[in-house]
Amino acid sequence: MRKILVAGNWKMNNDVEASLKLTENLKELSKEFDQNVDVIICPPFVSLYSVKQALNGTSIKIGAQNMHFEDRGAYTGEISPLMLKELGVEYVIIGHSERRQYFNETDETVNKKLKSALKYGLKPILCVGETLEQRESGIEKQTVKNQIVKAFEDIDLSDAEKMVVAYEPIWAIGTGKTATSQQANDMAAFIRLAIADTYDRELSEKITILYGGSVKLDNANEILSQSDIDGALVGGASLKAVEFSEIINYSK
Ligand code: PGA
């Protein structure tokens, strides 16, 4: 049985004070969280330390939104996996489409970051997804398969088990447009097949696959009850404590 995972990606929102306020609100609400759901929040780098401290004693876990693949060195402005580990960060989002689109993230750097995250014991949340143009040209599956194959290149089976994959169609991120539950589930099932091709069926059945892209309270239930979807990566709606909590408790 795969466990449900709901992760909040705060993106470049909330200074330290606002991050702490949102964390306190979530902490309060977390007493009512569905115990069958793993909850992760991913604040901006500068808030990670304070938020992690504030989360002590709760079951909410913390993730970063990005990292560099090297452990140290002359990479001005970058954050290393070791620095994240030191703060008690457990997860890291890798290859988010906004990083691919605006910050030159490529399949190659995604693969390097995945290997590095796994090496240092961070659990990667690998993001994949097609553009609207790619979907309209009927190449969405090929696109996602390529991203998966390149991301998993030379990652061995035991490490692959620790990965979380988030299917995030780019046309649904922050646009208010959601993939239909059918589209989302079809792609999640297809990702499982692609992983079965690369590794084996057993791993593909075990791996956690999330959907992301305009997940909100009013569509969470429909999306999260799909057979191949094991949770959600939530952007905008994770900035509101009550809505995020209700998404977490969608099945209660
Ligand atoms: P959204 O973002 O929920 O605001 O569409 C999702 C994401 O980018 O992870």
Side-chain angles (χ1 to χ4, degrees), residues 101-119:
Q101 200 176 343
Y102 307 129
F103 302 100
N104 212 18
E105 189 83 87
T106 62
D107 288 327
E108 194 191 345
T109 55
V110 165
N111 176 253
K112 285 186 178 167
K113 288 181 180 191
L114 288 175
K115 287 180 187 154
S116 170
L118 291 163
K119 176 172 167 197

Side-chain angles (χ1 to χ4, degrees), residues 178-216:
T178 335
T180 63
S181 49
Q182 180 71 41
Q183 285 172 323
N185 199 47
D186 275 1
M187 190 61 93
F190 177 77
I191 290 171
R192 264 185 228 292
L193 274 180
I195 293 171
D197 273 0
T198 314
Y199 297 94
D200 58 34
R201 209 184 141 81
E202 205 190 324
L203 172 70
S204 77
E205 294 293 335
K206 279 201 262 179
I207 209 150
T208 300
I209 301 183
L210 312 179
Y211 168 79
S214 297
V215 173
K216 295 186 205 67

Side-chain angles (χ1 to χ4, degrees), residues 114-161:
L114 288 175
K115 287 180 187 154
S116 170
L118 291 163
K119 176 172 167 197
Y120 292 110
L122 292 160
K123 293 178 200 144
I125 302 177
L126 163 68
C127 298
V128 294
E130 80 285 0
T131 62
L132 185 58
E133 209 182 3
Q134 287 163 332
R135 179 162 282 266
E136 283 174 351
S137 337
I139 56 165
E140 69 278 11
K141 290 207 165 122
Q142 195 48 49
T143 303
V144 169
K145 180 154 186 180
N146 274 339
Q147 290 170 340
I148 292 281
V149 168
K150 289 184 179 152
F152 278 80
E153 206 171 279
D154 297 327
I155 289 179
D156 66 47
L157 188 67
S158 58
D159 276 343
E161 281 185 17

